Amino acid sequence: DAKTTQPPSMDCAEGRAANLPCNHSTISGNEYVYWYRQIHSQGPQYIIHGLKNNETNEMASLIITEDRKSSTLILPHATLRDTAVYYCIVKKGGNQFYFGTGTSLTVIP
Amino acid sequence: NAGVTQTPKFQVLKTGQSMTLQCAQDMNHNSMYWYRQDPGMGLRLIYYSASEGTTDKGEVPNGYNVSRLNKREFSLRLESAAPSQTSVYFCASSRGGQGSNQPQHFGDGTRLSIL
């Protein structure tokens, strides 16, 4: 599975869009990009995943660059409850998700 | 809609005691997983079950056993608990079978302390 690089921490004002970047320059053609978040003391929460097309669901949007070497998770209107550690994971078919250190997002009132 | 339910939420054991962690999912998923999370280590896969009746070792299986009781339930057993097994244990499930790209959905964890 390809390695991912994320900034260790970010701040976002409440009500604004939070844009969380992820670099995965060694991604291969059959690897998907997944985003999870973990709010303190809870289990990881699935947010969204995609292969090469941009994806949107009720929680967020995932923008994957054309060369697939990076992606951005967008939370359109951040709330205080979005404060969490966000993990970007690149994985092909297989059984283990490798969670790195992620980005600690703090939403500021 | 409960999703993945883990019991108990907290447990303290003495070294050498045995314990079974329970996990159940109500999403009709085929695959189920057990992870442990330690500070600074991320999540590490202990065992997984790609379908009812099958189980396979993950990255850190030593000291653990599992049982896929039916499609809904996947239990993790510590036969003789050791302080190194102090951790937060997460159960997860996914719709797909082995090698699937379907996302995994996690429970809220069992916090286990071994004294």
Side-chain angles (χ1 to χ4, degrees):
Chain A
D1 297 337
K3 180 180 169 61
T4 61
T5 303
Q6 299 177 253
S9 63
M10 292 180 62
D11 293 337
C12 176
E14 188 177 17
R16 304 296 292 267
N19 296 279
L20 291 90
C22 180
N23 182 284
H24 32 79
S25 57
T26 61
I27 193 170
S28 61
N30 59 350
E31 290 183 310
Y32 282 70
V33 180
Y34 299 79
W35 282 85
Y36 282 79
R37 71 182 182 185
Q38 191 168 23
I39 298 168
H40 181 64
S41 80
Q42 296 182 17
Q45 180 186 20
Y46 165 74
I47 302 173
I48 199 167
H49 77 291
L51 182 62
K52 53 185 176 182
N53 297 321
N54 297 338
E55 302 286 346
T56 295
N57 63 21
E58 66 278 5
M59 288 183 67
S61 294
L62 172 61
I63 308 298
I64 302 174
T65 58
E66 191 170 344
D67 63 7
R68 303 208 323 122
K69 293 183 184 301
S70 65
S71 61
T72 300
L73 178 74
I74 301 172
L75 307 178
H77 305 286
T79 71
L80 300 179
R81 287 176 294 181
D82 292 322
T83 293
V85 179
Y86 287 77
Y87 297 96
C88 169
I89 301 163
V90 171
K91 188 178 85 71
K92 55 177 176 279
N95 296 297
Q96 179 159 359
F97 278 82
Y98 289 94
F99 288 72
T101 53
T103 295
S104 178
L105 175 69
T106 301
V107 179
I108 301 168
Chain B
N1 201 2
V4 178
T5 303
Q6 293 184 235
T7 54
K9 295 191 186 309
F10 302 93
Q11 185 69 48
V12 179
L13 294 177
K14 294 181 179 178
T15 298
Q17 288 186 314
S18 61
M19 162 125 201
T20 299
L21 308 185
Q22 306 288 352
C23 175
Q25 51 91 8
D26 63 1
M27 297 176 282
N28 200 34
H29 283 173
N30 291 313
S31 299
M32 297 186 73
Y33 310 82
W34 276 105
Y35 290 85
R36 59 178 288 175
Q37 185 174 32
D38 303 297
M41 298 286 292
L43 272 77
R44 293 182 291 170
L45 184 66
I46 305 171
Y47 270 93
Y48 65 95
S49 170
S51 61
E52 188 177 350
T54 68
T55 61
D56 284 286
K57 295 178 180 178
E59 184 184 356
V60 288
N62 291 345
Y64 305 95
N65 287 301
V66 290
S67 295
R68 183 75 183 267
L69 304 170
N70 48 54
K71 192 171 186 178
R72 289 188 65 248
E73 298 173 290
F74 189 39
S75 62
L76 178 72
R77 183 161 177 85
L78 287 71
E79 290 291 351
S80 179
S84 61
Q85 295 178 305
T86 292
S87 188
V88 181
Y89 291 84
F90 290 104
C91 178
S93 70
S94 69
R95 185 169 58 185
Q98 187 158 359
S100 167
N101 288 309
Q102 292 296 316
Q104 295 177 13
H105 299 271
F106 289 79
D108 277 336
T110 294
R111 282 141 189 85
L112 183 60
S113 293
I114 316 294
L115 305 178

